Amino acid sequence: MLRVDAVLISEGHSSPYPRERLYDDRCVVVASPDTPPRASALGLLTTEPHVVVDTDRRVFPYSVPEDEGVPHRVGLRISEFLLVPFHVARAGGVALLRYRVAATLRTLADPPIEEFPFPLPGLGVDVVWNPRQADRHVAA
């Protein structure tokens, strides 16, 4: 018999037991400081050149705007994902990044960050509490 007080599961798995979000990472639109202020995420996606990683396949989440029929223009192709924030800040344009990457970038620069305008599956991890656990103070 497995006895645990809590388990970590992704948000894609359902559970009738109490959950608490531990990790949440969503896709956001990150723009260079030179982009027009007050531009919407969809406006940025359609008007600004994109910094993308050059691969043989479509890089997530770029398949979503393509599937939605949103036109976008690739301004710069680079070979390393870790350099995307640097090139957005230096060369201008926009990129689609995970929020945690964009938040870290904010400590180095102050790029505008907008929510992605289409629904996407998130990367979330929850802790699910065992309702029959002996130590209730752990949940508290």
Side-chain angles (χ1 to χ4, degrees):
M1 176 187 211
L2 181 64
R3 292 183 174 265
V4 295
D5 288 331
V7 293
L8 300 178
I9 61 174
S10 71
E11 68 182 328
H13 294 85
S14 62
S15 171
Y17 303 123
R19 297 175 80 119
E20 180 183 348
R21 179 56 47 100
L22 291 182
Y23 180 82
D24 191 10
D25 205 6
R26 63 196 188 278
C27 189
V28 294
V29 178
V30 177
S32 104
D34 300 333
T35 56
R38 295 186 176 83
S40 69
L42 191 55
L44 291 169
L45 287 174
T46 57
T47 60
E48 295 296 320
H50 290 239
V51 176
V52 298
V53 178
D54 192 11
T55 65
D56 294 336
R57 59 184 176 79
R58 292 189 301 179
V59 176
F60 181 81
Y62 275 101
S63 57
V64 176
E66 290 172 6
D67 293 343
E68 295 287 335
V70 175
H72 67 275
R73 174 173 50 99
V74 175
L76 181 62
R77 291 186 185 275
I78 60 175
S79 61
E80 179 56 54
F81 180 76
L82 293 174
L83 296 177
V84 170
F86 171 78
H87 286 291
V88 168
R90 294 285 306 268
V94 296
L96 302 178
L97 297 174
R98 291 282 179 192
Y99 175 74
R100 291 197 175 221
V101 174
T104 301
L105 179 61
R106 273 207 165 138
T107 64
L108 305 172
D110 195 20
I113 299 174
E114 299 290 335
E115 293 298 322
F116 193 70
F118 302 105
L120 283 177
L123 176 61
V125 176
D126 297 345
V127 62
V128 177
W129 298 105
N130 181 347
R132 294 177 293 277
Q133 62 189 344
D135 286 330
R136 292 272 178 211
H137 73 276
V138 174

